[in-house]
Structures are given as C-alpha cells and as structure tokens.
Amino acid sequence: MTVTPNAEFTAKPGTAGAVRSPHSVIVIGEALTDIVVRPEGVTEHPGGSPMNVAIGVARLGDAVELITRLGADDRGMIAQSHIEESGVTLSSGSIVSEPTSTATARLDETGAAIYEFDIRWSLEPLDRLPPAVVVHTGSVAAFLEPGAAEIRRLLADTKASTIVTFDPNIRASLLGERDAARGTAERLMGLSDVVKLSDEDAEWLYPAVSHSDVLDHIRSLGPALAIITRGADGAVLASRRGTVNAPGLTVTVADTIGAGDSFMSAVIHSIVELISEKESSTSVSDGTAFTPAVLTQIGTFAVRCAAITVSRSGANPRVWQKSTADLPSRA
C-alpha cells in the first residue's frame, strides 16, 4: 500500500486513490450538533458519526459525498459550512425544514462521553446510489426508521464492484431491545465488505462472547474484513488471510469524541488506496487483499489517526497534507 504510518503524505482533497467517479466515497447517515457538557461549561460542535467519517475521509484526500439530513436553522447552517469547508460535497436534498438533530455528550473525568439524543432520520427518495468506490454507513442512521430501511435498500442495490463499509457505533439508549438491534446490525453486516465495531459495540451486541469469536461470527455473515477497536489498546483486524493486533498509542486525551470515526475514515482511505493499487475491488471484497502485512499497515495508520483526534477537543481529524512528523510516537 502507498499509505504507511511514517510516510510523507501530500495528496490534495479529491486526488488521492482511485477517483473513478465524481465521488470515490459516499457516506450515508446522520449529521447533527454535538452539545458537549464539561465541568467548565457547555460547547457545541457539528457532529454525528457518518458526518465525522465523511470529513475524515475528505481530509485524507479522497472525494466524498455525504447524504444526510440537516435542519434549515442556525445549527444546520454551521454544520453545512463545516462539512463543505472540509472538502465534502453535501448531497442535494440534505437540507430540510425541521430542527437539526442533537447529541448531548456529558464527559466524565477521563474525557469519555455519555450521550443523550434528539434525532430525526429520514432520506430523500433515491432510485439508487451514484457510482462510488466505497459506500459507508452506520450509527443511528442504520437503525432509526424510516431512514434505516431506505439505507438497507440502497446498499442491497449497489454494484458488486462497490465496497460497502459499516460501523454500527451502538447508541443503546436509542435502540430498544437488544435482539432486534442485533438483527438489524447483522442484516447490514451481511450487505457489507468491511465491518468495524468498538469493544463496547461488541460487548453490547454479543455479551459474554470473546472478541475473537465476535470477529469470526461477523466474517461468517459475509464481510471480508472485521475489526474491533479497543481504545487505548489499539485494534484487532481479521480477514481470511489472518488476524493482526494493531497496538495503541500513548497520548494526552482531550476527549474521546470522534476517535472511532477517525479510525473508520483511515480504514476507508486505505481501502481506496488498496483498490487503486490492485486496479480492482475484487481482491478487497473477497478478502484476498487483506494479508497480515496489509492489515498491519491499515491498523497502524488508523490507530494513529484516531490518536490525533483524541488529543484534540471534539471530532476534529487532522488535515493530512503535510508531514506526519507530529503523529504520536508508539507507546
């Protein structure tokens, strides 16, 4: 792969990887306002896992379109500016006449967040998605109706050459009964080529099941690559070619908001690069491209991207147009 954790990265937005369509990556899902409650006060930032992923991918240099819902209010306009200034194209029909959704994050003394949500989620009717190298979805949008059913329909109708990635990003307070949520998640896993869970996601969806068994189960549903992130302990990546542990990094944590989204963005960018090198998505979708060496490169790069984000307040991935010399060193 061309992306390595110590390499010079000089791509401009929209030029990295295999840009085979106006947008190499399409992200479908919620954009909202994060209201962050700290002991010293309250701040607001544009947020939402899919929006964060789209921005992270764009800052890594790929062309990205975000299909979402934003209100025609002040919060929506701030989020729209943030999205577009980061190089993401906002899909037409994404601005609607309703309040912008919110997620209130209450931070504990470690910077970890507990969320409360006020979210509406639907989608403008589409016959099918535009051509793309990768389509990503996840989080609240993957579970909340009526938009979730539309996402499943669109993913089921994607071309075989399109790589689908999914991050459930479980928000238990919104999901109701565990078995039903697991069924929804597994239907999407079955439509996906790459699935990423956090350790908390894995433990909520599959209580008392080892991470190794969870990874095996996910891959049995169809994905070529299954990943579990483990916070400060890094991540585990598993494919038919092998399993790799990507160690964590030592950083000073501002907060954990957006860490998993930055990790996911780095995985998506690495896949776009991998497809560019292979000149085909087949070896990615069938898993043969995911050798232990490639998994190590993907995991190491993604852990370092996440480490940058946790060292900064809010979901604020770095713009990768300069040397990576300021990346955290390995613990």
Side-chain angles (χ1 to χ4, degrees):
M1 292 178 63
T2 56
V3 174
T4 56
N6 297 309
E8 187 82 7
F9 190 83
T10 57
K12 299 293 191 295
T15 64
V19 182
R20 302 178 184 178
S21 66
H23 298 96
S24 287
V25 178
I26 292 175
V27 177
I28 314 172
E30 74 271 10
L32 46 77
T33 297
D34 278 328
I35 303 171
V36 183
V37 181
R38 295 181 172 89
E40 63 270 24
V42 178
T43 57
E44 294 192 4
H45 310 275
S49 176
M51 188 206 76
N52 293 339
V53 170
I55 286 173
V57 173
R59 291 185 181 184
L60 288 169
D62 297 309
V64 186
E65 179 177 352
L66 175 63
I67 300 174
T68 190
R69 276 289 184 271
L70 284 170
D73 53 15
D74 289 344
R75 285 172 171 163
M77 295 303 101
I78 290 170
Q80 181 180 359
S81 295
H82 179 59
I83 290 164
E84 294 175 345
E85 287 169 2
S86 295
V88 177
T89 297
L90 191 61
S91 176
S92 62
S94 289
I95 306 296
V96 295
S97 57
E98 61 185 33
T100 297
S101 297
T102 62
T104 300
R106 301 184 184 278
L107 303 185
D108 64 20
E109 62 278 3
T110 69
I114 299 174
Y115 287 90
E116 300 169 4
F117 296 93
D118 179 11
I119 293 182
R120 303 157 191 81
W121 175 244
S122 61
L123 276 176
E124 187 77 13
L126 293 171
D127 289 336
R128 63 185 307 160
L129 294 172
V133 175
V134 176
V135 173
H136 173 77
T137 194
S139 196
V140 177
F143 297 90
L144 189 62
E145 301 296 354
E150 182 68 3
I151 287 176
R152 292 193 296 273
R153 183 189 68 79
L154 290 168
L155 294 185
D157 199 33
T158 58
K159 293 182 178 180
S161 59
T162 301
I163 300 302
V164 176
T165 64
F166 172 51
D167 176 4
N169 195 35
I170 295 296
R171 302 303 185 204
S173 62
L174 291 175
L175 299 189
E177 203 273 328
R178 190 191 313 264
D179 288 345
R182 184 188 303 117
T184 298
E186 291 190 345
R187 283 194 292 276
L188 281 163
M189 291 176 190
L191 296 170
S192 302
D193 300 287
V194 177
V195 172
K196 180 197 80 71
L197 280 69
S198 69
D199 48 5
E200 291 178 347
D201 296 338
E203 289 153 16
W204 192 86
L205 286 170
Y206 305 103
V209 179
S210 71
H211 287 177
S212 176
D213 287 345
V214 170
L215 291 167
D216 288 344
H217 176 67
I218 290 171
R219 289 184 51 243
S220 76
L221 298 172
L225 174 59
I227 302 169
I228 294 178
T229 59
R230 303 181 301 171
D233 293 325
V236 184
L237 299 85
S239 75
R240 61 184 288 189
R241 304 293 299 275
T243 299
V244 164
N245 290 283
L249 298 173
T250 298
V251 295
T252 299
V253 176
D255 61 53
T256 62
I257 297 170
D261 302 329
S262 287
F263 187 103
M264 190 74 242
S265 300
V267 171
I268 291 170
H269 172 73
S270 298
I271 289 170
V272 173
E273 291 285 287
L274 189 59
I275 292 172
S276 177
E277 289 183 2
K278 302 293 184 181
E279 298 183 351
S280 169
S281 62
T282 302
S283 63
V284 173
S285 61
D286 68 13
T288 57
F290 294 127
T291 64
V294 168
L295 295 181
T296 297
Q297 288 182 315
I298 293 173
T300 301
F301 182 63
V303 165
R304 301 187 92 176
C305 288
I308 287 290
T309 296
V310 301
S311 69
R312 306 164 75 167
S313 294
N316 188 18
R318 189 185 187 281
V319 179
W320 292 85
Q321 294 179 1
K322 298 180 181 178
S323 168
T324 58
D326 63 336
L327 282 168
S329 58
R330 184 164 301 287

